[in-house]
Amino acid sequence: MALFDQKPIKPDDDVVASRDSAALSVTAVENDFVERVYEKLAKVYDLTFGPTLHPGRVQAIQRMIAAPGSTILEVGVGTGINVPMYPRDCDIVGIDFSSSMLEKARERVERKGITNVRLLQMDAADLKFADNTFDIVYAPYLISVVPDPVKVAAEMHRVCKPGGHVIFLNHFRSRNPLLSRAERMISPFTVHIGFKADLDLPGFLAQAGLAPVSIEKVNIPRLWSLVTCVKDRAA
Ligand SMILES: C[S@@+](CC[C@H](N)C(=O)[O-])C[C@H]1O[C@@H](n2cnc3c(N)ncnc32)[C@H](O)[C@@H]1O
């Protein structure tokens, strides 16, 4: 099933990695903290994180050439901002651990009359699905939010079917030394508005054991990345 336009990445592009977990970000968070932040953000999320991050969301779903009947899991579905964009002939499951964010998502689904989406409350680090369940497992703007991105990636990979796609849309630490230093400095503050500003992409990929088939820069400015991985058919 050819689900994506794939652009191979050069070996020296983004995947030379650190295996030091503390090096992924200078900031540590716990689920309770993140949950409290998003319970508060729910009312204003679409206004504050809606338009700025939307081009990346649109691009990710345009790349997602899902065959009719495909099963798609959105991890960290939030207010359901992506939900109206998924093909109506696919089965969508959206999970999130924030009841306030999920409430907004449920309102949106009802308002728009969307019938191909199930919304479930669940921790991304402990997905309640069997191995090899979904054709596409997609985490838009989630992986720099969670306490343990490597564990979440392992769960996403586990529930993805062999030959299926595991996709991350996220901001990662810049390769520009000045920007990178600034991102490390602000990361302890940005967690209070919902994300770590300094997650290291090469380190994350190496620790998660993922080798992407493509990494594309998205949004304006192009500080976010759309990272697409394919689960080995032999896995
Ligand atoms: C930045 S929002 C992204 C929302 C949406 N995917 C988007 O495109 O805007 C991150 C979402 O991840 C959820 N989240 C954070 N940690 C989580 C976890 N461990 N398990 C499930 N959801 C989590 C938050 O509640 C929030 O709704």
Side-chain angles (χ1 to χ4, degrees):
M1 182 168 38
L3 295 178
F4 285 84
D5 292 339
Q6 290 171 3
K7 191 175 66 181
I9 51 168
K10 296 182 215 101
D12 65 342
D13 222 18
D14 268 305
V15 199
V16 183
S18 157
R19 295 215 171 246
D20 174 4
S21 64
L24 291 185
S25 167
V26 295
T27 319
V29 288
E30 298 292 335
N31 264 354
D32 285 356
F33 172 82
V34 178
E35 217 173 333
R36 280 200 303 278
V37 169
Y38 276 94
E39 292 298 325
K40 285 189 207 135
L41 271 181
K43 280 198 188 88
V44 294
Y45 185 85
D46 287 354
L47 274 179
T48 49
F49 292 99
T52 353
L53 302 180
H54 216 60
R57 295 187 186 101
V58 172
Q59 202 166 324
I61 293 186
Q62 279 171 352
R63 292 270 182 278
M64 211 180 273
I65 308 162
S70 294
T71 49
I72 303 174
L73 173 65
E74 182 179 332
V75 186
V77 69
T79 60
I81 200 161
N82 292 289
V83 163
M85 296 192 286
Y86 292 113
R88 295 293 162 100
D89 57 4
C90 291
D91 290 326
I92 317 298
V93 178
I95 72 105
D96 204 290
F97 70 0
S98 161
S99 48
S100 304
M101 295 293 273
L102 278 175
E103 200 181 308
K104 294 278 171 200
R106 290 199 174 104
E107 283 167 17
R108 188 190 303 269
V109 165
E110 203 174 305
R111 199 170 59 242
K112 298 211 175 260
I114 298 167
T115 53
N116 62 330
V117 174
R118 274 192 304 144
L119 297 167
L120 304 169
Q121 191 162 22
M122 206 178 286
D123 184 354
D126 182 21
L127 296 175
K128 306 293 182 201
F129 303 109
D131 298 356
N132 312 327
T133 299
F134 297 95
D135 295 299
I136 299 171
V137 184
Y138 171 43
Y141 306 120
L142 168 90
I143 207 69
S144 62
V145 173
V146 296
D148 189 344
V150 174
K151 192 166 178 201
V152 170
E155 278 294 87
M156 291 173 63
H157 187 266
R158 179 183 67 75
V159 302
C160 183
K161 288 180 186 171
H165 290 75
V166 175
I167 305 164
F168 305 93
L169 169 61
N170 219 86
H171 170 269
F172 294 96
R173 187 157 75 228
S174 171
R175 300 179 76 191
N176 172 300
L178 273 180
L179 257 184
S180 162
R181 203 168 309 148
E183 287 163 349
R184 280 184 170 246
M185 277 172 63
I186 63 170
S187 194
F189 304 100
T190 61
V191 288
H192 293 276
I193 53 163
F195 65 98
K196 299 172 209 162
D198 65 337
L199 184 65
D200 178 54
L201 177 59
F204 163 65
L205 292 172
Q207 290 187 26
L210 293 170
V213 292
S214 70
I215 300 177
E216 288 175 67
K217 290 288 182 194
V218 297
N219 290 331
I220 298 168
R222 298 206 169 281
L223 297 176
W224 287 261
S225 300
L226 178 60
V227 181
T228 302
C229 310
V230 177
K231 182 166 171 177
D232 196 337
R233 285 191 185 275

